[in-house]
Amino acid sequence: MDVLQISMAAMPFLLALTSRTGRAIVPCLLTSIVTVLLGGEPHRAVVAWCVGLLIAAVALRERLRVG
């Protein structure tokens, strides 16, 4: 994987860092790691990436709703 693919895989983790609580950070970090590890199998990597992105999006939405 090159730097661009790794940065895309880390997007859920980076979005989770903007959330108000730290509950979403660990699951998003784990899904980002799984996405990088499954980089050779794109269809499985996309599933892990989408799960992480959904978790991060909910955490970000909650921050924006409260803030």
Side-chain angles (χ1 to χ4, degrees):
M1 293 184 86
D2 61 353
V3 175
L4 180 63
Q5 289 174 329
I6 292 173
S7 63
M8 284 298 293
M11 187 185 301
F13 174 66
L14 297 174
L15 278 175
L17 288 176
T18 64
S19 67
R20 186 172 295 269
T21 62
R23 293 184 198 172
I25 294 174
V26 174
C28 289
L29 177 63
L30 291 176
T31 58
S32 293
I33 291 171
V34 168
T35 301
V36 170
L37 291 176
L38 293 175
E41 302 176 28
H43 59 283
R44 290 185 182 173
V46 168
V47 172
W49 186 79
C50 287
V51 168
L53 200 59
L54 285 173
I55 294 169
V58 169
L60 185 61
R61 184 184 68 97
E62 289 298 316
R63 177 188 167 115
L64 294 175
R65 187 178 64 95
V66 173

PDB file of all heavy atoms in Angstrom, residues 1 7 9 15 17 19 24 26-27 32-34 37-38 41-42 44-45 48-49 51-52 56-58 60 67:
ATOM      1  N   MET A   1       0.851  -1.186   0.000  1.00  0.00           N
ATOM      2  CA  MET A   1       0.000   0.000   0.000  1.00  0.00           C
ATOM      3  C   MET A   1       0.890   1.241   0.000  1.00  0.00           C
ATOM      4  O   MET A   1       1.915   1.270   0.675  1.00  0.00           O
ATOM      5  CB  MET A   1      -0.888   0.020   1.236  1.00  0.00           C
ATOM      6  CG  MET A   1      -1.930  -1.074   1.286  1.00  0.00           C
ATOM      7  SD  MET A   1      -3.026  -0.922   2.702  1.00  0.00           S
ATOM      8  CE  MET A   1      -4.224   0.174   2.036  1.00  0.00           C
ATOM      9  N   SER A   7      -3.469   6.728   4.019  1.00  0.00           N
ATOM     10  CA  SER A   7      -4.159   7.916   4.533  1.00  0.00           C
ATOM     11  C   SER A   7      -5.672   7.781   4.364  1.00  0.00           C
ATOM     12  O   SER A   7      -6.436   8.239   5.212  1.00  0.00           O
ATOM     13  CB  SER A   7      -3.637   9.179   3.862  1.00  0.00           C
ATOM     14  OG  SER A   7      -3.906   9.151   2.485  1.00  0.00           O
ATOM     15  N   ALA A   9      -7.243   4.907   4.455  1.00  0.00           N
ATOM     16  CA  ALA A   9      -7.620   3.913   5.453  1.00  0.00           C
ATOM     17  C   ALA A   9      -7.695   4.531   6.842  1.00  0.00           C
ATOM     18  O   ALA A   9      -8.477   4.103   7.684  1.00  0.00           O
ATOM     19  CB  ALA A   9      -6.632   2.755   5.448  1.00  0.00           C
ATOM     20  N   LEU A  15     -11.360  11.168  11.651  1.00  0.00           N
ATOM     21  CA  LEU A  15     -12.673  11.759  11.918  1.00  0.00           C
ATOM     22  C   LEU A  15     -13.103  11.512  13.362  1.00  0.00           C
ATOM     23  O   LEU A  15     -13.736  12.363  13.982  1.00  0.00           O
ATOM     24  CB  LEU A  15     -13.726  11.183  10.967  1.00  0.00           C
ATOM     25  CG  LEU A  15     -13.795  11.805   9.595  1.00  0.00           C
ATOM     26  CD1 LEU A  15     -14.806  11.056   8.736  1.00  0.00           C
ATOM     27  CD2 LEU A  15     -14.156  13.265   9.671  1.00  0.00           C
ATOM     28  N   LEU A  17     -11.207  11.401  15.889  1.00  0.00           N
ATOM     29  CA  LEU A  17     -10.468  12.293  16.782  1.00  0.00           C
ATOM     30  C   LEU A  17     -11.191  13.624  16.987  1.00  0.00           C
ATOM     31  O   LEU A  17     -10.955  14.312  17.974  1.00  0.00           O
ATOM     32  CB  LEU A  17      -9.063  12.552  16.231  1.00  0.00           C
ATOM     33  CG  LEU A  17      -8.088  11.386  16.316  1.00  0.00           C
ATOM     34  CD1 LEU A  17      -6.785  11.755  15.639  1.00  0.00           C
ATOM     35  CD2 LEU A  17      -7.856  10.978  17.752  1.00  0.00           C
ATOM     36  N   SER A  19     -14.398  13.894  17.474  1.00  0.00           N
ATOM     37  CA  SER A  19     -15.610  13.699  18.279  1.00  0.00           C
ATOM     38  C   SER A  19     -15.395  14.215  19.695  1.00  0.00           C
ATOM     39  O   SER A  19     -14.272  14.356  20.173  1.00  0.00           O
ATOM     40  CB  SER A  19     -15.999  12.225  18.306  1.00  0.00           C
ATOM     41  OG  SER A  19     -15.044  11.480  19.001  1.00  0.00           O
ATOM     42  N   ALA A  24     -15.425   6.595  20.353  1.00  0.00           N
ATOM     43  CA  ALA A  24     -15.349   6.169  18.958  1.00  0.00           C
ATOM     44  C   ALA A  24     -13.923   6.026  18.463  1.00  0.00           C
ATOM     45  O   ALA A  24     -13.705   5.469  17.390  1.00  0.00           O
ATOM     46  CB  ALA A  24     -16.095   7.166  18.084  1.00  0.00           C
ATOM     47  N   VAL A  26     -11.216   4.237  19.604  1.00  0.00           N
ATOM     48  CA  VAL A  26     -10.645   2.885  19.569  1.00  0.00           C
ATOM     49  C   VAL A  26     -11.280   2.024  18.482  1.00  0.00           C
ATOM     50  O   VAL A  26     -10.548   1.383  17.711  1.00  0.00           O
ATOM     51  CB  VAL A  26     -10.745   2.213  20.961  1.00  0.00           C
ATOM     52  CG1 VAL A  26     -10.306   0.768  20.897  1.00  0.00           C
ATOM     53  CG2 VAL A  26      -9.917   2.981  21.976  1.00  0.00           C
ATOM     54  N   PRO A  27     -12.623   1.981  18.342  1.00  0.00           N
ATOM     55  CA  PRO A  27     -13.169   1.175  17.241  1.00  0.00           C
ATOM     56  C   PRO A  27     -12.733   1.671  15.864  1.00  0.00           C
ATOM     57  O   PRO A  27     -12.477   0.866  14.964  1.00  0.00           O
ATOM     58  CB  PRO A  27     -14.685   1.305  17.401  1.00  0.00           C
ATOM     59  CG  PRO A  27     -14.909   1.734  18.790  1.00  0.00           C
ATOM     60  CD  PRO A  27     -13.687   2.485  19.201  1.00  0.00           C
ATOM     61  N   SER A  32      -9.427   0.956  11.027  1.00  0.00           N
ATOM     62  CA  SER A  32      -8.392   1.473  10.131  1.00  0.00           C
ATOM     63  C   SER A  32      -7.232   0.488  10.013  1.00  0.00           C
ATOM     64  O   SER A  32      -6.701   0.277   8.918  1.00  0.00           O
ATOM     65  CB  SER A  32      -7.884   2.820  10.629  1.00  0.00           C
ATOM     66  OG  SER A  32      -8.886   3.788  10.539  1.00  0.00           O
ATOM     67  N   ILE A  33      -6.856  -0.117  11.102  1.00  0.00           N
ATOM     68  CA  ILE A  33      -5.782  -1.117  11.072  1.00  0.00           C
ATOM     69  C   ILE A  33      -6.209  -2.333  10.260  1.00  0.00           C
ATOM     70  O   ILE A  33      -5.437  -2.850   9.443  1.00  0.00           O
ATOM     71  CB  ILE A  33      -5.371  -1.514  12.503  1.00  0.00           C
ATOM     72  CG1 ILE A  33      -4.668  -0.343  13.189  1.00  0.00           C
ATOM     73  CG2 ILE A  33      -4.482  -2.747  12.501  1.00  0.00           C
ATOM     74  CD1 ILE A  33      -4.416  -0.544  14.662  1.00  0.00           C
ATOM     75  N   VAL A  34      -7.444  -2.780  10.454  1.00  0.00           N
ATOM     76  CA  VAL A  34      -7.948  -3.924   9.694  1.00  0.00           C
ATOM     77  C   VAL A  34      -8.004  -3.584   8.206  1.00  0.00           C
ATOM     78  O   VAL A  34      -7.703  -4.423   7.354  1.00  0.00           O
ATOM     79  CB  VAL A  34      -9.331  -4.367  10.229  1.00  0.00           C
ATOM     80  CG1 VAL A  34     -10.005  -5.339   9.298  1.00  0.00           C
ATOM     81  CG2 VAL A  34      -9.182  -4.963  11.607  1.00  0.00           C
ATOM     82  N   LEU A  37      -4.543  -3.908   6.876  1.00  0.00           N
ATOM     83  CA  LEU A  37      -4.127  -5.309   6.805  1.00  0.00           C
ATOM     84  C   LEU A  37      -4.825  -6.058   5.681  1.00  0.00           C
ATOM     85  O   LEU A  37      -4.261  -6.994   5.105  1.00  0.00           O
ATOM     86  CB  LEU A  37      -4.394  -5.995   8.147  1.00  0.00           C
ATOM     87  CG  LEU A  37      -3.521  -5.535   9.312  1.00  0.00           C
ATOM     88  CD1 LEU A  37      -3.949  -6.229  10.592  1.00  0.00           C
ATOM     89  CD2 LEU A  37      -2.058  -5.780   9.028  1.00  0.00           C
ATOM     90  N   LEU A  38      -6.064  -5.687   5.373  1.00  0.00           N
ATOM     91  CA  LEU A  38      -6.806  -6.343   4.302  1.00  0.00           C
ATOM     92  C   LEU A  38      -6.642  -5.637   2.965  1.00  0.00           C
ATOM     93  O   LEU A  38      -7.447  -5.828   2.058  1.00  0.00           O
ATOM     94  CB  LEU A  38      -8.297  -6.403   4.662  1.00  0.00           C
ATOM     95  CG  LEU A  38      -8.673  -7.298   5.830  1.00  0.00           C
ATOM     96  CD1 LEU A  38     -10.153  -7.153   6.142  1.00  0.00           C
ATOM     97  CD2 LEU A  38      -8.329  -8.743   5.531  1.00  0.00           C
ATOM     98  N   GLU A  41      -7.055  -7.564  -0.247  1.00  0.00           N
ATOM     99  CA  GLU A  41      -8.394  -8.037  -0.604  1.00  0.00           C
ATOM    100  C   GLU A  41      -9.342  -6.838  -0.545  1.00  0.00           C
ATOM    101  O   GLU A  41      -9.953  -6.572   0.489  1.00  0.00           O
ATOM    102  CB  GLU A  41      -8.841  -9.117   0.355  1.00  0.00           C
ATOM    103  CG  GLU A  41      -7.901 -10.314   0.401  1.00  0.00           C
ATOM    104  CD  GLU A  41      -8.322 -11.320   1.436  1.00  0.00           C
ATOM    105  OE1 GLU A  41      -9.511 -11.399   1.743  1.00  0.00           O
ATOM    106  OE2 GLU A  41      -7.434 -12.020   1.939  1.00  0.00           O
ATOM    107  N   PRO A  42      -9.480  -6.112  -1.643  1.00  0.00           N
ATOM    108  CA  PRO A  42     -10.205  -4.834  -1.619  1.00  0.00           C
ATOM    109  C   PRO A  42     -11.658  -4.914  -1.149  1.00  0.00           C
ATOM    110  O   PRO A  42     -12.114  -4.032  -0.432  1.00  0.00           O
ATOM    111  CB  PRO A  42     -10.146  -4.359  -3.067  1.00  0.00           C
ATOM    112  CG  PRO A  42      -9.025  -5.084  -3.678  1.00  0.00           C
ATOM    113  CD  PRO A  42      -8.906  -6.379  -2.949  1.00  0.00           C
ATOM    114  N   ARG A  44     -13.044  -6.862   1.055  1.00  0.00           N
ATOM    115  CA  ARG A  44     -13.094  -6.980   2.520  1.00  0.00           C
ATOM    116  C   ARG A  44     -12.602  -5.704   3.194  1.00  0.00           C
ATOM    117  O   ARG A  44     -13.105  -5.298   4.233  1.00  0.00           O
ATOM    118  CB  ARG A  44     -12.261  -8.166   2.976  1.00  0.00           C
ATOM    119  CG  ARG A  44     -12.873  -9.482   2.600  1.00  0.00           C
ATOM    120  CD  ARG A  44     -12.101 -10.622   3.156  1.00  0.00           C
ATOM    121  NE  ARG A  44     -12.707 -11.875   2.730  1.00  0.00           N
ATOM    122  CZ  ARG A  44     -12.168 -13.037   2.957  1.00  0.00           C
ATOM    123  NH1 ARG A  44     -11.021 -13.125   3.592  1.00  0.00           N
ATOM    124  NH2 ARG A  44     -12.771 -14.126   2.546  1.00  0.00           N
ATOM    125  N   ALA A  45     -11.612  -5.069   2.596  1.00  0.00           N
ATOM    126  CA  ALA A  45     -11.090  -3.824   3.150  1.00  0.00           C
ATOM    127  C   ALA A  45     -12.139  -2.722   3.094  1.00  0.00           C
ATOM    128  O   ALA A  45     -12.243  -1.909   4.016  1.00  0.00           O
ATOM    129  CB  ALA A  45      -9.831  -3.397   2.406  1.00  0.00           C
ATOM    130  N   ALA A  48     -14.611  -3.085   6.052  1.00  0.00           N
ATOM    131  CA  ALA A  48     -14.044  -2.596   7.310  1.00  0.00           C
ATOM    132  C   ALA A  48     -13.960  -1.073   7.310  1.00  0.00           C
ATOM    133  O   ALA A  48     -14.256  -0.430   8.323  1.00  0.00           O
ATOM    134  CB  ALA A  48     -12.653  -3.194   7.531  1.00  0.00           C
ATOM    135  N   TRP A  49     -13.585  -0.479   6.180  1.00  0.00           N
ATOM    136  CA  TRP A  49     -13.489   0.978   6.076  1.00  0.00           C
ATOM    137  C   TRP A  49     -14.859   1.632   6.239  1.00  0.00           C
ATOM    138  O   TRP A  49     -14.987   2.633   6.932  1.00  0.00           O
ATOM    139  CB  TRP A  49     -12.870   1.345   4.730  1.00  0.00           C
ATOM    140  CG  TRP A  49     -12.592   2.795   4.572  1.00  0.00           C
ATOM    141  CD1 TRP A  49     -11.536   3.476   5.078  1.00  0.00           C
ATOM    142  CD2 TRP A  49     -13.386   3.742   3.855  1.00  0.00           C
ATOM    143  NE1 TRP A  49     -11.616   4.800   4.717  1.00  0.00           N
ATOM    144  CE2 TRP A  49     -12.736   4.982   3.961  1.00  0.00           C
ATOM    145  CE3 TRP A  49     -14.566   3.651   3.138  1.00  0.00           C
ATOM    146  CZ2 TRP A  49     -13.249   6.125   3.377  1.00  0.00           C
ATOM    147  CZ3 TRP A  49     -15.077   4.791   2.547  1.00  0.00           C
ATOM    148  CH2 TRP A  49     -14.413   6.024   2.670  1.00  0.00           C
ATOM    149  N   VAL A  51     -17.482   0.466   7.862  1.00  0.00           N
ATOM    150  CA  VAL A  51     -17.902   0.349   9.269  1.00  0.00           C
ATOM    151  C   VAL A  51     -17.229   1.421  10.109  1.00  0.00           C
ATOM    152  O   VAL A  51     -17.866   2.096  10.920  1.00  0.00           O
ATOM    153  CB  VAL A  51     -17.598  -1.064   9.813  1.00  0.00           C
ATOM    154  CG1 VAL A  51     -17.758  -1.118  11.316  1.00  0.00           C
ATOM    155  CG2 VAL A  51     -18.497  -2.088   9.143  1.00  0.00           C
ATOM    156  N   GLY A  52     -15.945   1.604   9.921  1.00  0.00           N
ATOM    157  CA  GLY A  52     -15.224   2.640  10.663  1.00  0.00           C
ATOM    158  C   GLY A  52     -15.718   4.035  10.331  1.00  0.00           C
ATOM    159  O   GLY A  52     -15.853   4.889  11.212  1.00  0.00           O
ATOM    160  N   ALA A  56     -17.416   6.782  12.903  1.00  0.00           N
ATOM    161  CA  ALA A  56     -16.877   8.136  13.006  1.00  0.00           C
ATOM    162  C   ALA A  56     -17.911   9.188  12.630  1.00  0.00           C
ATOM    163  O   ALA A  56     -17.972  10.256  13.243  1.00  0.00           O
ATOM    164  CB  ALA A  56     -15.650   8.270  12.109  1.00  0.00           C
ATOM    165  N   ALA A  57     -18.738   8.891  11.640  1.00  0.00           N
ATOM    166  CA  ALA A  57     -19.766   9.846  11.226  1.00  0.00           C
ATOM    167  C   ALA A  57     -20.810  10.054  12.320  1.00  0.00           C
ATOM    168  O   ALA A  57     -21.252  11.188  12.562  1.00  0.00           O
ATOM    169  CB  ALA A  57     -20.437   9.370   9.948  1.00  0.00           C
ATOM    170  N   VAL A  58     -21.197   8.986  12.998  1.00  0.00           N
ATOM    171  CA  VAL A  58     -22.150   9.123  14.101  1.00  0.00           C
ATOM    172  C   VAL A  58     -21.545   9.929  15.237  1.00  0.00           C
ATOM    173  O   VAL A  58     -22.202  10.786  15.826  1.00  0.00           O
ATOM    174  CB  VAL A  58     -22.619   7.728  14.577  1.00  0.00           C
ATOM    175  CG1 VAL A  58     -23.386   7.817  15.873  1.00  0.00           C
ATOM    176  CG2 VAL A  58     -23.463   7.068  13.499  1.00  0.00           C
ATOM    177  N   LEU A  60     -19.174  12.188  15.003  1.00  0.00           N
ATOM    178  CA  LEU A  60     -19.067  13.579  14.552  1.00  0.00           C
ATOM    179  C   LEU A  60     -20.432  14.270  14.541  1.00  0.00           C
ATOM    180  O   LEU A  60     -20.553  15.432  14.932  1.00  0.00           O
ATOM    181  CB  LEU A  60     -18.435  13.641  13.177  1.00  0.00           C
ATOM    182  CG  LEU A  60     -18.148  15.021  12.608  1.00  0.00           C
ATOM    183  CD1 LEU A  60     -17.166  15.750  13.503  1.00  0.00           C
ATOM    184  CD2 LEU A  60     -17.597  14.897  11.204  1.00  0.00           C
ATOM    185  N   GLY A  67     -22.908  20.519  20.177  1.00  0.00           N
ATOM    186  CA  GLY A  67     -22.112  21.752  20.167  1.00  0.00           C
ATOM    187  C   GLY A  67     -22.831  22.837  19.489  1.00  0.00           C
ATOM    188  O   GLY A  67     -22.825  23.979  19.707  1.00  0.00           O
TER     189      GLY A  67
END
